Amino acid sequence: KALGLELRYGDHDELYSRKDVLAGHHMGILLFILFILIFICIISVLRKGRVGVAPFHGIPLVSRVYFEGWYYKFRTRTNEGVALIFGMYKNATKAFSFIIAYNAQAKQMIYETFPLDAFHASSRSFDVQIGSKNRFSEHGISLNLSSSSPDSHGRLPSCRCEITSKAPIKPWPVTTTSFGIMGAVGWLPLECYYGVLSFTHPVMGRLTWKTGVTANPPVAKHVLSLNDGVAYLEKNWGRTFPAGWIWLQCNDFDHDPGEFSSHPSMQPGGPFWALPEGDAMDDINMHDPRDVSFMLAIARIPVPFLPLPHRRRPGVRGVVSGVYLGNTLVRFASYRVVFVRHLVVRDQLLPAPGPTDEDEAGDPRAQRSLEIVLESLTHRLEALILYPTDASEQPLLPFPTERGMESILTEILGARLMLRLWTRKDRRLLFAGSGENVGIESHATSAIGAKHIVSQ
């Protein structure tokens, strides 16, 4: 009996030893796979930190939907706004590259698609070519674009330009630990990524815009001089644009407060701090407005890592903004702690020009404005944006969704802006000025907590 008991114990020990070996073997395989994944992530982070956001990131192997696009905005010598958007798009059923040229003064847009194999972009620097006649880089642009489909007036517009950068671009800094404007959040799996490639840089050249070939009215040809002009450059990439967002950009400032003093939000008790009085304003270090650039983006960001489709995930409000003063960048970002003190879309009803009969009144029209107050731990930003009255007449621009490029977005390039930047602790005013040719986009603003007010 004693011998049999020992044998049974021996079999039991042998069984356990086999299980231990098998478990250790499986654990070794899992650790090896985990090591490879961590190594790939580290290499990806180091590479992205080294090359930055400007180059082409490439189509992910595991993504069914992917877009990558660059946005170039110009202010011409005659204060006209022109935007060029170019990139590529791919989903399960279609893949193509595209170029969009938008002229706000002409109220026209050219949207042309190209085969995906006509898209060539560098993975080491910002250098994109689409077709044989269109090339974009930080050094300049060469574009020859004609619309293949008529607009709502039956016109076929065209755009040609040769633009050269006169100075290096001024990007939001990119480091290994901070992926540009998105900071460390840029390393997380998100539906849309964002990068500022240049806050402002001078350009020279010219742009020729033809409104289209029609019998009546005749073809109008506009030659826009870009000598002494300025440019702004950014990009987006990922699966789709956010469910809701506000975007602003301006690099055309002066110190004239203009018409903002009569706005309801500027009255005592409003959201904005009062300016210093008397000679105190003269002591403020007013930066050269030509060296000032401002951008802001507020968007709904789905919480990452949840096993749900992006649109069904709970979202948080993400804020990024930068005021570029000469060689100093003042940052506001959710990952650096920022408080949205005031975010209001206001429609102020105004009397429209009525009939000749003085006893009758015309239909009321609304002046739309946007009021924003942000506070970081050290600074306070106040912005008041007035939309142009012809905003509803601008064409709808396409933007990427999971279904394709959908034309449901109106972009404004002729808004006006009041901007103030303060230190928060001692309420010292760092900059106060007004901007022209402001670019603004807004979509589903209720998703980011914006309040809508209608006032008289």
Side-chain angles (χ1 to χ4, degrees):
K1 291 182 180 180
L3 183 59
L5 183 61
E6 290 178 1
L7 288 174
R8 283 196 297 271
Y9 277 126
D11 294 340
H12 191 64
D13 293 340
E14 184 180 357
L15 179 61
Y16 270 96
S17 64
R18 289 179 180 176
K19 287 183 177 179
D20 292 341
V21 171
L22 192 59
H25 180 66
H26 289 168
M27 182 61 68
I29 294 176
L30 291 176
L31 290 175
F32 178 74
I33 294 174
L34 182 61
F35 172 78
I36 293 297
L37 292 176
I38 293 175
F39 178 76
I40 293 174
C41 290
I42 292 175
I43 293 300
S44 176
V45 168
L46 292 175
R47 179 187 176 277
K48 291 172 74 174
R50 178 170 55 84
V51 303
V53 300
F56 181 55
H57 292 282
I59 303 174
L61 297 177
V62 296
S63 179
R64 294 180 301 171
V65 181
Y66 183 75
F67 78 92
E68 190 159 349
W70 293 259
Y71 175 93
Y72 236 131
K73 173 177 170 283
F74 301 96
R75 189 259 295 165
T76 68
R77 191 173 186 177
T78 53
N79 286 331
E80 295 177 281
V82 178
L84 301 177
I85 308 168
F86 48 94
M88 55 76 56
Y89 178 89
K90 172 188 175 295
N91 66 11
T93 61
K94 63 187 76 172
F96 56 88
S97 55
F98 62 88
I99 301 176
I100 302 170
Y102 172 44
N103 186 329
Q105 279 65 35
K107 299 182 176 65
Q108 280 191 318
M109 174 197 68
I110 305 173
Y111 172 46
E112 286 299 303
T113 60
F114 301 80
L116 188 59
D117 57 12
F119 175 84
H120 303 280
S122 171
S123 61
R124 296 183 176 273
S125 62
F126 170 44
D127 190 356
V128 179
Q129 182 166 341
I130 301 178
S132 60
K133 301 180 180 180
N134 311 295
R135 188 166 184 175
F136 314 87
S137 73
E138 62 182 77
H139 304 295
I141 290 177
S142 178
L143 177 70
N144 189 344
L145 189 67
S146 298
S147 178
S148 60
S149 57
D151 61 12
S152 58
H153 300 285
R155 298 174 298 183
L156 293 170
S158 63
C159 176
R160 297 183 63 182
C161 68
E162 294 289 338
I163 301 171
T164 303
S165 299
K166 295 171 60 179
I169 60 177
K170 299 177 181 179
W172 190 295
V174 176
T175 65
T176 303
T177 58
S178 179
F179 195 42
I181 192 172
M182 301 190 72
V185 179
W187 308 122
L188 299 179
L190 303 175
E191 65 178 357
C192 185
Y193 298 89
Y194 181 43
V196 174
L197 279 58
S198 181
F199 274 96
T200 184
H201 62 276
V203 294
M204 62 181 300
R206 72 174 190 172
L207 183 146
T208 302
W209 188 284
K210 294 184 179 180
T211 58
V213 179
T214 57
N216 187 23
V219 177
K221 179 179 178 180
H222 303 280
V223 179
L224 308 179
S225 174
L226 286 165
N227 295 331
D228 299 325
V230 292
Y232 168 82
L233 176 60
E234 68 174 33
K235 73 174 294 188
N236 294 90
W237 70 100
R239 291 174 53 87
T240 178
F241 267 31
W245 77 88
I246 289 174
W247 170 85
L248 302 170
Q249 190 280 325
C250 180
N251 53 0
D252 185 8
F253 283 95
D254 60 38
H255 295 309
D256 182 8
E259 62 208 275
F260 299 98
S261 58
S262 61
H263 192 269
S265 64
M266 300 295 293
Q267 305 310 310
F272 304 124
W273 286 353
L275 291 173
E277 297 181 357
D279 297 336
M281 283 292 291
D282 298 333
D283 298 332
I284 295 173
N285 180 20
M286 288 294 188
H287 294 266
D288 187 340
R290 293 173 296 180
D291 295 330
V292 177
S293 182
F294 162 69
M295 62 73 50
L296 176 144
I298 305 176
R300 179 189 180 275
I301 302 176
V303 177
F305 300 115
L306 294 181
L308 294 171
H310 286 272
R311 286 295 187 262
R312 295 180 60 187
R313 295 179 185 176
V316 297
R317 180 169 60 188
V319 180
V320 288
S321 179
V323 183
Y324 197 92
L325 301 173
N327 293 318
T328 302
L329 177 59
V330 180
R331 315 177 193 206
F332 297 81
S334 296
Y335 56 85
R336 296 169 65 96
V337 183
V338 67
F339 304 97
V340 181
R341 301 301 189 190
H342 188 76
L343 181 58
V344 170
V345 178
R346 184 187 300 268
D347 285 326
Q348 185 179 6
L349 298 181
L350 304 173
T356 55
D357 187 352
E358 297 181 357
D359 295 332
E360 299 182 17
D363 294 331
R365 56 192 176 94
Q367 168 70 67
R368 171 157 288 191
S369 59
L370 178 62
E371 307 159 15
I372 301 174
V373 177
L374 303 180
E375 285 187 350
S376 67
L377 297 178
T378 56
H379 292 83
R380 176 183 171 97
L381 183 145
E382 300 173 348
L384 171 60
I385 302 92
L386 301 182
Y387 286 62
T389 56
D390 63 349
S392 60
E393 302 175 14
Q394 299 295 335
L396 296 176
L397 269 63
F399 73 96
T401 69
E402 293 188 347
R403 296 178 296 272
M405 298 284 287
E406 298 186 348
S407 298
I408 56 177
L409 172 68
T410 298
E411 178 168 327
I412 309 301
L413 294 182
R416 299 178 300 282
L417 164 71
M418 179 213 73
L419 181 69
R420 295 175 183 172
L421 181 66
W422 307 75
T423 58
R424 187 177 174 186
K425 184 178 180 179
D426 55 3
R427 291 198 175 195
R428 182 167 58 91
L429 186 62
L430 300 178
F431 177 79
S434 62
E436 300 290 333
N437 301 303
V438 180
I440 178 169
E441 296 175 2
S442 59
H443 177 72
T445 54
S446 60
I448 56 174
K451 185 178 180 181
H452 192 184
I453 294 177
V454 178
S455 62
Q456 297 291 334

